[in-house]
Amino acid sequence: MKVAIGADHGGFLYKNMIAAVLTGKGHEVLDLGAYGPEPSDYPDYAKAVAAAILEGKAERGILLCGSGVGICVAANKFPGIRACLCHDSYSAHQGVEHDDMNVLCLGERVIGPELANELALIFLEARFSGAERHVRRLEKIREIEQAIIHEGRGFWHGV
Ligand code: RB5
């Protein structure tokens, strides 16, 4: 699978480690930085990975920072990105199967390296179910995104 990966300084070491593991398993990895351990800003890498997915250069993304929180918040600002912080194996595959999660977020300061590698592989092996109820819920998320884009923040008044 084509996978875009990115991290700030807080996730830099795991980003390189996971990229090597995925490449070894035959995945095509697009490394979008950071390319060094110097302090950097996680929204920049969230934007790069989100753009790669939305432009069709990658099918999925993996983002890392210290906790995994900041980069997940930033990634979810992009309509069409469904990013989740998953530090357990159930969420890493169920998030794809039920919710079509397309970006996995991880925190290098929170979990160990072997778990991080396993979660990345589990995420990439999972496939969306296509079940009617899951498609329906995703369509409701798309409707929210479209309403915000076209009607602005006030669209939910009167809900
Ligand atoms: C960087 O120190 C740290 O704040 C960042 O990597 C991340 O944990 C934010 O959520």
Side-chain angles (χ1 to χ4, degrees), residues 65-138:
C65 64
S67 64
V69 172
I71 209 151
C72 189
V73 170
N76 279 310
K77 298 300 175 193
F78 294 82
I81 295 300
R82 294 172 295 280
C84 309
L85 175 61
C86 299
H87 284 166
D88 68 278
S89 59
Y90 178 76
S91 303
H93 67 82
Q94 196 254 20
V96 176
E97 292 157 1
H98 289 203
D99 312 317
D100 206 14
M101 168 173 67
N102 53 11
V103 175
L104 174 70
C105 300
L106 299 170
E108 181 174 309
R109 297 175 186 163
V110 183
I111 59 171
E114 292 308 325
L115 179 56
N117 287 332
E118 278 193 26
L119 291 170
L121 290 169
I122 288 167
F123 164 63
L124 295 181
E125 281 159 17
R127 296 291 178 272
F128 180 56
S129 74
E132 189 276 333
R133 68 187 188 284
H134 298 151
V135 171
R136 184 181 68 238
R137 291 162 191 163
L138 285 171

